[in-house]
Amino acid sequence: MGVKKSLMLCLTCILSLSIAGCGSNNGNNGGNAASTAASPEATAGAATDAPKELTKIKVALDWTPNTNHTGLYAAKELGYYEEEGLDVEIVQPGAAGADTMVTSGEAAFGISAQEALTLARLQNVPIVSIAAIIQHNTSGFAAPKDRKITSPKDFEGKTYGGWGSPAEEAAMKAIMDPEGGDVKKVKLVNIGEADYFTAVKRDIDFAWIFYAWTGIEAELRGEPLDMLYLKDYAPQLDYYTPVLTTSEKEIAEQPELVKAFLKATSKGYQYAIDKPEEAAAILTKAVPDLDPKLVLASQKWLSPKYKDDAARWGEQKAEVWQNYADWMYGLKLLDQQLDVDSTFTNEFLPEN
């Protein structure tokens, strides 16, 4: 998927987030909804034991299902959530966006990105990142090979298709400056929701994408790209995208639920790391509209990157949050410094 699609949805929800507050639902229907299916622990007990009640919760995706989300679907399909007493419904965000759903209590958990949470926290939105789904930023600027864009300086004289955010030009400048490039020599065009493959054939030369989806799709189409990953040129842009989130209210009132959810989710992502082909089959089964070839190829590329060089899946580092926020603040894209310690936590991740 293109970066603009998921990030634009996150960023356009910030104003509504700032006034939404936290609802009383907490996304779990009070934890009283019973399931007719017992967990492994319950069925292992005496025959007279009553079926174990499962707590119903929702997880809101950041966009349409893709391989960023495979661990969630694996945890659901393989019974990991049920083992932890959870009945998990994975939903798409709709017009409100995942961040709003989480802070309002409509969903207990959601998927967002460090960029969106940085802005949200500075507007006192009570949302917290509880796990990094991918350890390093897999997004960057991509162009068809025939545009001959092999370094950031080559952006000069070319047309960039984006969604009109100041962060786009700032990111471009961050990787162009060290290479002696001038961002003012790039033509910026707002292409809205236009498909990347259509746009580069029509009126743009390059765009910002996630390689794991759009880049892999380009390979399968036989349309090779030159890909310039942000993290390779500017360390402050090696931020977490996407991340798993919950609300401060959920943490305060139901810490054991947060812990149980992350225990099962961690197992789901570890399964995807260890068995990418089987994990791809789970995602395809759950979302049959997806192209199985794209899912499989994407999963094979992305699975090693979930954990990468971290000690455990989901681990977040304060310096990653601080570096990005300091960079944004230095550009005057933020009007105050970010309180990093309140923005993320590793507290609920399993030990290993």
Side-chain angles (χ1 to χ4, degrees):
M1 64 187 295
V3 168
K4 68 177 188 300
K5 291 184 177 180
S6 59
L7 183 55
M8 182 164 60
L9 186 57
C10 289
L11 296 181
T12 54
C13 291
I14 296 301
L15 281 179
S16 61
L17 277 169
S18 65
I19 61 174
C22 288
S24 59
N25 187 340
N26 292 319
N28 61 11
N29 295 330
N32 294 322
S35 169
T36 56
S39 72
E41 289 86 348
T43 56
T48 57
D49 287 349
K52 182 177 179 181
E53 284 192 346
L54 300 180
T55 301
K56 288 182 176 289
I57 61 171
K58 287 183 181 179
V59 181
L61 302 181
D62 52 341
W63 198 251
T64 54
N66 58 74
T67 47
N68 284 346
H69 312 135
T70 306
L72 299 169
Y73 287 96
K76 183 176 175 70
E77 173 68 19
L78 298 171
Y80 298 154
Y81 288 130
E82 189 175 348
E83 289 173 8
E84 297 302 320
L86 302 177
D87 179 3
V88 173
E89 181 184 4
I90 302 170
V91 300
Q92 294 187 43
D99 291 353
T100 299
M101 292 177 71
V102 169
T103 55
S104 69
E106 184 179 349
F109 303 96
I111 294 183
S112 187
Q114 184 172 332
E115 309 100 299
L117 258 68
T118 297
L119 295 174
R121 293 296 308 190
L122 291 175
Q123 296 192 21
N124 299 314
V125 177
I127 189 169
V128 180
S129 175
I130 55 174
I133 291 178
I134 302 170
Q135 272 298 307
H136 295 283
N137 190 348
T138 60
S139 74
F141 296 110
K145 285 278 187 182
D146 62 6
R147 310 303 158 87
K148 302 187 184 306
I149 298 177
T150 58
S151 80
K153 195 174 189 311
D154 295 332
F155 294 162
E156 292 184 353
K158 300 295 196 302
T159 300
Y160 167 77
W163 64 95
S165 165
E168 295 172 276
E169 185 173 348
M172 215 176 297
K173 178 177 171 59
I175 71 172
M176 290 182 75
D177 283 355
E179 303 284 317
D182 182 358
V183 73
K184 297 303 180 185
K185 295 181 180 179
V186 181
K187 182 179 180 181
L188 308 179
V189 174
N190 190 333
I191 61 172
E193 291 298 293
D195 173 73
Y196 170 82
F197 297 99
T198 301
V200 293
K201 288 180 173 64
R202 191 179 63 199
D203 52 10
I204 71 164
D205 296 304
F206 68 109
W208 193 346
I209 69 166
F210 284 107
Y211 193 83
W213 199 253
T214 306
I216 296 298
E217 183 177 358
E219 290 182 14
L220 296 177
R221 285 169 170 252
E223 301 178 20
L225 304 174
D226 282 313
M227 181 76 181
L228 280 64
Y229 293 99
L230 296 177
K231 67 180 180 61
D232 292 344
Y233 295 92
Q236 67 270 29
L237 298 181
D238 190 12
Y239 50 79
Y240 298 122
T241 177
V243 296
L244 269 173
T245 68
T246 194
S247 66
E248 289 182 352
K249 182 179 177 70
E250 202 76 42
I251 288 174
E253 296 183 358
Q254 304 205 69
E256 290 305 313
L257 184 145
V258 178
K259 187 174 182 179
F261 173 75
L262 273 186
K263 181 179 179 181
T265 302
S266 296
K267 289 177 67 176
Y269 276 98
Q270 189 60 52
Y271 181 88
I273 292 167
D274 296 337
K275 299 181 177 181
E277 293 187 11
E278 291 89 341
I282 288 174
L283 180 58
T284 301
K285 175 185 174 184
V287 192
D289 289 343
L290 294 176
D291 178 354
K293 292 182 180 179
L294 174 56
V295 171
L296 178 58
S298 174
Q299 196 64 63
K300 287 181 176 180
W301 188 90
L302 189 60
S303 280
K305 295 173 173 56
Y306 289 137
K307 181 179 175 183
D308 209 300
D309 54 359
R312 56 183 171 171
W313 175 85
E315 187 83 19
Q316 300 175 82
K317 297 178 181 177
E319 57 263 35
V320 174
W321 285 90
Q322 193 69 62
N323 288 344
Y324 180 76
D326 287 348
W327 174 69
M328 293 283 283
Y329 182 75
L331 294 172
K332 302 187 186 306
L333 295 176
L334 303 179
D335 58 10
Q336 58 183 298
Q337 293 281 9
L338 178 70
D339 179 5
V340 167
D341 291 338
S342 67
T343 305
F344 84 96
T345 181
N346 292 317
E347 177 184 355
F348 301 100
L349 291 171
E351 291 300 319
N352 50 47

